[in-house]
Amino acid sequence: MNIGFFTDSYFPGIDGVTYTISAWRDRLRDRGHDVYVVYPESSHDPDENELPVPSLPNPLYKQYRVPIYRRISTLPDFDVVHCHGPAATGLMGRRYANRRGVKSVYTHHTPVEDYFVQGLKSETLARAAGRLYVAYENRLLRSFDCVTASTDRIRRDVTPRTLPVGIEMDTFRPTDPLFESDDPVIGYSGRMTRKKHVDEILRLAERRPDLRFELVGEGPVRDSLDRAAPDNVRLRDFLPREDLPAFYAALDVFV
């Protein structure tokens, strides 16, 4: 089959959606399918199956770009459209499926409403915007032939098919540790945002000076975590994906 992935999250941006799309694309190709990725144009150098949409910088979130427009007639003939988000590129995929009369799949990756407080800086405004957003996404999800999610508890008015993200076993294999430690090591790797509650790890570190804590990542709360970190916490910069197995191998507990 020819499968079209439509996403607003893609390389060079680094997040769970980007790597999930990459992993699923590889696995589908292994099964003999042709997979194309439609995404907002960026500094990423596309291969022949990656189809950029002209885009502009996003003033609210520099990791993501705002796609402008690409004519559907310039896209290949897809047998299935798979949308990975409710923003402009995902809506392009839904429009493609409607116009061409092909099957449409939507994967619910992220409860976007949980992140509104970061941009709006107000719990009240974030809750109001969240209610509007959930109503919008509920309506959007009901327009697809199939909705998938990694769990069946997605706080939406649909019953998704459970589709676990999976682990890339070719990458994440036993290896030598990135560092050695005489003390037990607690580790975290990921985006440093309010929603991730990384500050809870710092509170644990204050209570357990006998443990060593290693935190890897970047994000809007990184500076505040740096300032609040006790002596037994080390914050490391973003690690390339190929270095993560060695980081995990050095941990006793991953949070």
Side-chain angles (χ1 to χ4, degrees):
M1 289 193 301
N2 278 357
I3 301 170
F5 282 177
F6 288 76
T7 177
D8 287 274
S9 299
Y10 203 56
F11 299 115
I14 301 299
D15 60 22
V17 176
T18 297
Y19 281 123
T20 297
I21 289 171
S22 178
W24 286 357
R25 178 189 185 189
D26 291 344
R27 297 291 81 76
L28 287 166
R29 281 177 165 177
D30 291 345
R31 296 185 178 192
H33 301 292
D34 289 322
V35 182
Y36 298 81
V37 181
V38 183
Y39 68 99
E41 187 178 41
S42 65
S43 60
H44 175 67
D45 186 20
D47 64 27
E48 61 182 7
N49 280 33
E50 294 173 324
L51 309 172
V53 178
S55 67
L56 295 172
N58 186 333
L60 300 177
Y61 207 150
K62 65 180 181 180
Q63 179 173 331
Y64 303 112
R65 294 181 63 85
V66 179
I68 305 171
Y69 181 73
R70 177 167 177 161
R71 288 183 293 129
I72 286 175
S73 60
T74 65
L75 298 175
D77 291 330
F78 299 135
D79 300 301
V80 176
V81 163
H82 190 162
C83 299
H84 292 269
T89 311
L91 293 177
M92 181 188 301
R94 188 68 194 91
R95 191 167 69 251
Y96 181 105
N98 276 342
R99 188 172 298 179
R100 299 288 183 88
V102 300
K103 292 294 184 181
S104 59
V105 178
Y106 182 96
T107 291
H108 177 83
H109 288 283
T110 307
V112 175
E113 67 276 10
D114 290 349
Y115 293 83
F116 284 172
V117 70
Q118 289 177 199
L120 297 174
K121 311 299 183 186
S122 164
E123 296 281 356
T124 301
L125 285 177
R127 283 195 297 270
R131 286 192 293 270
L132 292 173
Y133 171 79
V134 170
Y136 155 73
E137 194 176 14
N138 273 328
R139 182 176 180 182
L140 176 64
L141 296 189
R142 289 193 291 266
S143 70
F144 283 84
D145 295 307
C146 175
V147 175
T148 78
S150 58
T151 172
D152 58 3
R153 301 171 63 185
I154 64 171
R155 309 197 310 255
R156 298 296 185 266
D157 294 337
V158 296
T159 302
R161 294 191 180 186
T162 303
L163 182 62
V165 171
I167 296 172
E168 300 161 60
M169 298 299 291
D170 292 341
T171 300
F172 295 99
R173 304 173 62 86
T175 187
D176 293 333
L178 185 65
F179 56 85
E180 301 287 345
S181 174
D182 293 330
D183 298 321
V185 183
I186 314 298
Y188 167 85
S189 173
R191 290 282 295 159
M192 293 191 176
T193 64
R194 283 187 60 183
K195 180 61 182 174
K196 300 295 185 182
H197 298 296
V198 185
D199 56 315
E200 297 285 354
I201 302 176
L202 301 190
R203 282 194 276 277
L204 175 61
E206 290 174 349
R207 294 168 53 190
R208 292 298 304 267
D210 56 315
L211 303 178
R212 174 176 170 181
F213 294 78
E214 297 276 343
L215 313 181
V216 167
E218 299 173 355
V221 301
R222 168 64 188 265
D223 289 344
S224 63
L225 293 173
D226 258 326
R227 291 191 296 270
D231 292 340
N232 58 334
V233 175
R234 175 176 176 178
L235 278 83
R236 294 174 176 264
D237 291 337
F238 170 84
L239 283 176
R241 195 164 183 80
E242 59 269 21
D243 292 340
L244 285 176
F247 172 69
Y248 295 144
L251 306 179
D252 296 287
V253 176
F254 176 73
V255 179

